[in-house]
Amino acid sequence: MRAAVLRSYNADLSLETVPDPTCEADGVVLKVLACGVCRSDWHGWVGEHPRVKPGQIQGHEYCGEVVEAGPLAKWKQGDRLVAPFILACGACPDCQSGHQNICKSQRLPGFVEPGAFAEYVSVPFAHNLARLPEALSPVVAAGLGCRVTTAWHALTGRAAVQAGEWVAVHGTGGIGLSVLLLARALGARVIVVDVVPEKLTHALGLGAEAAIDARQGDVAARIVEITGGGAQVSIEALGIEATTNASIECLRPLGRHVQVGMPVGHTAHMQINMNAVYMKNLALFGTRGMPSWRYPSLLEMITRGAVDMSPLIAREVALSDASAELRAFNGPTPPGVAVISNFLG
């Protein structure tokens, strides 16, 4: 099969012909219909992700059609499925208590094993997959894979956002836009922060009530003023120190901060304003991925028209364009996300 292989950090992916994947007993092999290009892929591409090594086929936001199913899998040839990026074992105490996203035996295509920057991908633990609704295009479904599922769990599984609450979103990349769209669908009021005017204007067009250019400074103070005392919930979507502190400091007393941006490499350890946490009795949540059992609630919300996630997709690209999309994360990116839909180009 054709695949884009990481051979050296910060270098173009190598377009190669590699062996087709093998199907595991409890898994499936999917013909990849679409795969998102995510900032988490960029962390691996630049060498910041500790699990991503040269030789890796990246790509963890995928959907596809079953071409082979193992004897223990419930799926059959022709089924169209979408996958969470964390594949949980389903049998451990964490899985049995509904917390599959912290499963200690999790499998991670795109990070530890071959991912979906390829024509085909092997997916073990196939009980994690969900059927792709007919009304949902593979391109939009692939865009859900990491950013939207993580945003959904951050809002509903961690922060328990309520209608009428203010939600501040620090960073309007794929995660930030997903939070904006989903929070609005839940009835929350959203304020966004970024350094790219085009992205702020784009977010206002998608329903944000206010947009702040972080280059002008005093982000937290301006959010406190706009919201009349601070946001109830704040989502950090970049994984850097400046936005993490702004997220904490913009909250009103008893507010909830959710760390969605991935702090790895030089951002893994931060100087945090813990006095703000202490004085305002704040709650700090971490989140990564989404338990697979929560997929139906998200898909149902989308298919019944309660939220339109299609504005998230900025462009469809070919597999040969993946390197350029990864390189774009080196600086401020334009609005929306890229999804690979052509694996031969």
Side-chain angles (χ1 to χ4, degrees):
M1 68 174 181
R2 192 167 188 255
V5 185
L6 173 68
R7 292 299 178 192
S8 299
Y9 297 127
N10 286 295
D12 283 355
L13 301 176
S14 175
L15 294 173
E16 302 177 8
T17 299
V18 301
D20 290 343
T22 57
C23 186
E24 299 191 23
D26 60 357
V28 297
V29 172
L30 298 179
K31 178 182 180 181
V32 182
L33 299 175
C35 183
V37 183
C38 176
R39 183 170 288 273
S40 297
D41 296 313
W42 174 83
H43 283 298
W45 181 72
V46 298
E48 287 188 344
H49 197 296
R51 298 185 180 185
V52 177
K53 306 298 182 185
Q56 176 68 17
I57 300 173
Q58 295 182 271
H60 60 282
E61 297 186 315
Y62 55 92
C63 68
E65 181 176 314
V66 176
V67 295
E68 186 178 357
L72 302 180
K74 67 177 182 179
W75 308 107
K76 64 182 186 303
Q77 281 189 351
D79 286 340
R80 289 190 163 198
L81 308 174
V82 60
F85 78 91
I86 297 173
L87 303 173
C89 74
C92 69
D94 289 328
C95 287
Q96 291 296 302
S97 61
H99 302 297
Q100 290 98 328
N101 57 325
I102 60 171
C103 171
K104 295 178 180 61
S105 300
Q106 63 190 242
R107 304 283 295 273
L108 297 168
F111 294 103
V112 178
E113 45 209 318
F117 286 178
E119 290 183 83
Y120 300 93
V121 62
S122 177
V123 187
F125 294 161
H127 55 269
N128 290 276
L129 279 69
R131 190 177 298 278
L132 179 65
E134 290 186 9
L136 194 61
S137 77
V139 169
V140 174
L144 306 181
C146 170
R147 55 184 68 90
V148 178
T149 56
T150 298
W152 180 243
H153 190 55
L155 289 169
T156 61
R158 304 298 281 158
V161 169
Q162 302 299 306
E165 289 189 316
W166 278 103
V167 175
V169 185
H170 301 261
T172 58
I175 285 282
L177 284 181
S178 300
V179 170
L180 165 60
L181 293 169
L182 293 170
R184 290 282 297 137
L186 292 168
R189 307 176 70 184
V190 182
I191 183 168
V192 298
V193 183
D194 210 293
V195 296
V196 181
E198 182 187 2
K199 295 172 80 170
L200 294 172
T201 301
H202 182 63
L204 288 169
L206 294 177
E209 292 192 35
I212 293 176
D213 189 332
R215 297 174 300 174
Q216 298 173 3
D218 299 323
V219 167
R222 290 158 68 191
I223 292 175
V224 170
E225 180 182 2
I226 291 168
T227 58
Q232 282 92 355
V233 173
S234 189
I235 306 292
E236 199 285 338
L238 286 171
I240 62 176
E241 184 173 305
T243 46
T244 298
N245 277 304
S247 177
I248 290 169
E249 292 165 0
C250 80
L251 289 165
R252 66 181 63 202
L254 300 179
R256 293 101 75 196
H257 161 88
V258 187
Q259 187 65 38
V260 177
M262 183 169 63
V264 297
H266 68 281
T267 66
H269 298 276
M270 304 179 187
Q271 295 289 325
I272 297 299
N273 183 356
M274 290 303 293
N275 185 60
V277 177
Y278 172 77
M279 293 299 293
K280 293 193 287 185
N281 286 238
L282 304 179
L284 271 58
F285 294 97
T287 196
R288 172 176 171 267
M290 179 186 77
S292 58
W293 64 265
R294 305 202 68 228
Y295 238 122
S297 67
L298 174 60
L299 294 175
E300 189 275 335
M301 190 174 184
I302 295 170
T303 54
R304 68 178 163 87
V307 60
D308 179 11
M309 300 306 301
S310 61
L312 184 66
I313 311 301
R315 56 202 172 277
E316 295 182 43
V317 300
L319 185 62
S320 58
D321 298 318
S323 300
E325 294 295 338
L326 290 170
R327 192 175 296 107
F329 286 113
N330 287 332
T333 56
V337 301
V339 175
I340 300 168
S341 58
N342 175 2
F343 292 86
L344 298 177

